[in-house]
Structures are given as structure tokens and as C-alpha cells.
Amino acid sequence: MTILVTGSAGFIGANFVLDWLAQNDETVVSLDKLTYAGNRQNLASLEKDPRHHFVQGDIGDAELVADLLRQHHPRAILNFAAESHVDRSIHGPEDFIQTNIVGTFRLLEAVRAYWSSLGEADKTLFRFLHVSTDEVYGSLEPTDPAFREDNKYEPNSPYSASKAASDHLVRAYHHTYGLPVLTTNCSNNYGPYHFPEKLIPLVIHNALAGKDLPIYGDGQQIRDWLYVKDHCTAIRRVLEAGQLGETYNVGGWNEKANIDVVHTLCDILDQEKPRDDGKSYRDQITFVRDRPGHDRRYAIDATRLERELGWRPAETFETGIRKTVRWYLDNQTWVENVTSGAYRDWVGQQYS
Ligand code: NAD
Ligand code: DAU
């Protein structure tokens, strides 16, 4: 048996593949374009592992995807591939439209042709699982209930609008063609291999480098944080037992204001790697211009996933964030490698 994982060299995709092969021997075919966010090093431990085949390529390359499907005959496809950073979508939305909308469409077309060609037994077993985000639901007021699966889609950034479009395409392929799809909408992840353009790894990296810790606006925006391994177990569970055509919200029950997250990171770093001058990393916090159209609050109601499929996160924010800081302290070479070259150009453009 084989699964095809797209976007497997990125943050969540890499964690998923590593976790998958740590749990069972089912072969993984990885498809990743290796954009700035994709990094072969994330999968370095699998280089000689016969259960893993890595292919560099685009989900929008219909011929390549069709060949891979013919050759490897996967029983499931997990689609993690995407442009994922909101700030980059504000500076340049084009890549988001191309990969998240057109790319997902091309992938769905190739998968539809493959699935249609399968025998009845394989057709029934087959699954296409689309990994999406809570940002498609828009922004919450402080007292609004958390997002449920039946919330309206109200995306506010080019990133979330492109993810919303991809979710709609996936839904339509089920409704119209019967393609056996599942969709997960998850809150903010954190953990190992998180690219340091995102808040948590950026703050850890900048703190250790003696740089400013940039907080957008007043720092009171709220996100619901989930340790990445918990997201991976949720996806495995949905793949295993999710109802076809349905969506499942995944979240950590961990709503935190950005400023509180950054304070926590500074406090852990003060304990684990104190500054040479004995001062706190909190002194490096700087309030900067807000993100245009910045969503104020996200929160996920993950009750459905718990009630129907028995999933709950294993980590609390307190345990997960400490593990994460330790991972970054222990993996400074990884950080150095991913923060060279193009990364510096991005930081220059975004924070100058
Ligand atoms: P990431 O940016 O770290 O990784 C994305 C990966 O996709 C990279 O390896 C990149 O090279 C690859 N990729 C990009 N365009 C591609 C294309 N056209 N063809 C093939 N590969 C391509 O993103 P992530 O944080 O790991 O997110 C993975 C998925 O999970 C995305 O769909 C994202 O929307 C979703 N998601 C992320 C979070 C989060 O907090 N990071 C939360 C909820 C959902
Ligand atoms: O909610 C799920 C989403 O979470 C995913 O779909 C996205 O792919 C993922 O990038 C993430 O989006 P956010 O925009 O919430 O994550 P980010 O880490 O970029 O920002 C988290 C919060 O921190 C947000 O309110 C913006 C703020 N922020 C971010 C950066 C990079 C800062 O205050 N300063 C910063 O320098």
C-alpha cells in the first residue's frame, strides 16, 4: 500500500511523513516543488529509507502527477502543498492563486482521472484528503463562539481566499463526480521544522540573534495554537475514519494573544539560554506596523473530531512550546541553513 503526500518538504508535510513512517511501513511518495519553504533537509533522515520516494515537482503539473499515480498506484493522497504565509500573500498574491487554486484544480483533475480508472474495490478504498486552514472562516469578535464546520466562509487575505477556493473545488469534486474527499481545517501549528518567517520560529530565531522581536499592531490578536504532531494524528484519524465529503475542524483549545505567546517564548529562553548580559529577551520586543487586514481572532471548535472520531490533542501549549524552543536550540544548523540567501531578502522587505 502507498500514499502520496504533496508539500512533504514543508513544515507540516515533513512532520506528517516522518510521523507516518515512524508508525507504520506503508510506503510514502513525496511530491514537493521545493519552493523557498520546502527543504529536503527536513526529510534527511529518510534519505536511504526504501519506504520513501521523493519527487521534486509541481502539483499543477498534470502529466507528472498522472505518471506518479500510474506508477505508484496510491490508495490515498494527502494534499499539504500550498503557499502558506499570509504576509507573502499580501506582497504578492499571484503564487497563491497559481498553487492553491490552479494547482489544486489540476491535481484534482489528475486524481479524478486516476480514480475513475480504478477497479471497484480500489475505488471504494481510495481517499483524497485536503489539508486546509481555519482562516477560511474569517475573523471572530472577542465573544463569538469558536469556528464550527458549518460556519460561513469569510476569508480576508489573498492566502485565506485562495485556500477557501481550493476547499470549494474539493467539495465540488465530491458533490459532482463522487470523488472520495475529506477536508481538515486546522488552527495555527507550531513545532519542529517551522519556517522562521512565521511568528513562533521567527521570535525564537531573532531572540537568539539579538534582533528585534516584531509584534504587529497592539499584539492582542488571538490565535488557537496546536502542536504540529497533534495535527498529524488528527489527519491520520480523519484519513482512517472520516466520513466522505465531510470537513473536520482541528484545533488545540489554546487561544492565546500574540503578545502572550511572545512573552512565554522569552521566558522559556531566559531559562534555557539566558542572555549574556543577564537581561530578559522581553527587552527585544518591538511593536511594528500592523499587517493590512489583520484578522483579530481565530478559535476552533474541535468537538466534532472528538465526538465522532475520538481525537483530542496530546500536548498542552505549555508542554508543546517548551519542546519547540528546545528543538530550535538543538537544531541551530537547520536554522542557519534556512535563514540564508532568499530568507534575508524577505526579512528586509517585510520588516524594513
Ligand atoms: P509550508 O509553507 O511550510 O510548506 C508548503 C510546502 O508546499 C513546501 O514544501 C513547498 O515547497 C510546497 N509547495 C508549494 N507550492 C507547491 C506546488 N505548486 N507543488 C508542490 N509543492 C508545493 O506550509 P505548512 O505550514 O507546512 O502548511 C501545509 C498545509 O497546511 C498548507 O496547505 C496550509 O495551508 C495548511 N495549514 C497550515 C497551518 C499552519 O499553521 N502552518 C495551519 C492550518 C493549515
Ligand atoms: O490559522 C492557521 C494559519 O496559521 C495557517 O493557515 C497559515 O498557513 C499559517 O501561516 C498561520 O497564519 P498566521 O498569519 O496566523 O501565522 P503567523 O505566524 O504569520 O502569525 C501569527 C500571528 O502573529 C498573526 O496574528 C500575525 C502575528 N505576527 C506575525 C509575524 C510573522 C506578528 O505579530 N509579528 C510577526 O513578525
Side-chain angles (χ1 to χ4, degrees), residues 77-95:
I77 296 171
L78 294 104
N79 184 31
F80 292 87
E83 289 292 337
S84 70
H85 191 33
V86 175
D87 293 321
R88 286 189 194 250
S89 83
I90 295 166
H91 284 276
E94 175 81 32
D95 287 346

Side-chain angles (χ1 to χ4, degrees), residues 59 68 156 162 178 253 259 279-280 290 328 342:
I59 55 165
L68 285 176
N156 289 319
S162 67
W253 304 103
I259 188 68
K279 293 185 177 159
S280 170
D290 207 353
Y328 280 89

Side-chain angles (χ1 to χ4, degrees), residues 7 9-13 32-35 37-38 57-59 80-82 84 99 131-133 159 163 186-189:
F11 164 47
I12 307 174
D32 196 295
K33 189 177 172 183
L34 294 182
T35 66
D58 194 319
I59 55 165
F80 292 87
S84 70
T99 283
V131 179
S132 193
T133 171
Y159 162 70
K163 289 296 292 186
C186 188
S187 63
N188 285 62
N189 286 214

Side-chain angles (χ1 to χ4, degrees), residues 37-191:
N39 185 353
R40 278 302 297 270
Q41 252 193 310
N42 298 354
L43 299 169
S45 61
L46 301 175
E47 222 148 75
K48 294 199 171 77
D49 192 323
R51 301 170 303 164
H52 183 238
H53 304 281
F54 183 85
V55 179
Q56 180 173 2
D58 194 319
I59 55 165
D61 182 341
E63 218 171 292
L64 170 70
V65 175
D67 276 354
L68 285 176
L69 296 176
R70 252 195 312 271
Q71 206 186 328
H72 295 281
H73 204 75
R75 61 122 180 149
I77 296 171
L78 294 104
N79 184 31
F80 292 87
E83 289 292 337
S84 70
H85 191 33
V86 175
D87 293 321
R88 286 189 194 250
S89 83
I90 295 166
H91 284 276
E94 175 81 32
D95 287 346
F96 290 72
I97 306 305
Q98 282 310 327
T99 283
N100 300 359
I101 306 180
V102 180
T104 304
F105 158 68
R106 296 242 159 85
L107 178 65
L108 282 166
E109 275 293 89
V111 173
R112 179 164 77 92
Y114 166 72
W115 176 73
S116 305
S117 74
L118 295 174
E120 277 317 307
D122 287 348
K123 237 179 167 175
T124 308
L125 272 182
F126 184 79
R127 298 287 181 269
F128 180 89
L129 190 150
H130 180 60
V131 179
S132 193
T133 171
D134 60 359
E135 300 202 12
V136 296
Y137 299 121
S139 185
L140 292 168
E141 294 298 326
T143 55
D144 283 345
F147 299 131
R148 288 161 38 122
E149 287 80 358
D150 54 6
N151 269 61
K152 266 198 306 194
Y153 269 35
E154 290 184 328
N156 289 319
S157 71
Y159 162 70
S160 53
S162 67
K163 289 296 292 186
S166 68
D167 293 7
H168 289 323
L169 283 168
V170 170
R171 177 189 153 88
Y173 272 62
H174 175 71
H175 191 79
T176 307
Y177 305 114
L179 194 70
V181 306
L182 298 156
T183 299
T184 54
N185 292 89
C186 188
S187 63
N188 285 62
N189 286 214
Y190 66 98

Side-chain angles (χ1 to χ4, degrees), residues 84-87 133-135 159 186-188 197-200 202 214-216 221 223 225 258 291 294 298 351:
S84 70
H85 191 33
V86 175
D87 293 321
T133 171
D134 60 359
E135 300 202 12
Y159 162 70
C186 188
S187 63
N188 285 62
E197 63 186 355
K198 310 279 168 61
L199 180 71
I200 287 180
L202 179 102
I215 310 277
Y216 296 164
Q221 301 82 7
R223 298 291 182 266
W225 293 96
N258 292 338
R291 171 185 280 176
H294 200 169
Y298 304 140
Y351 297 98

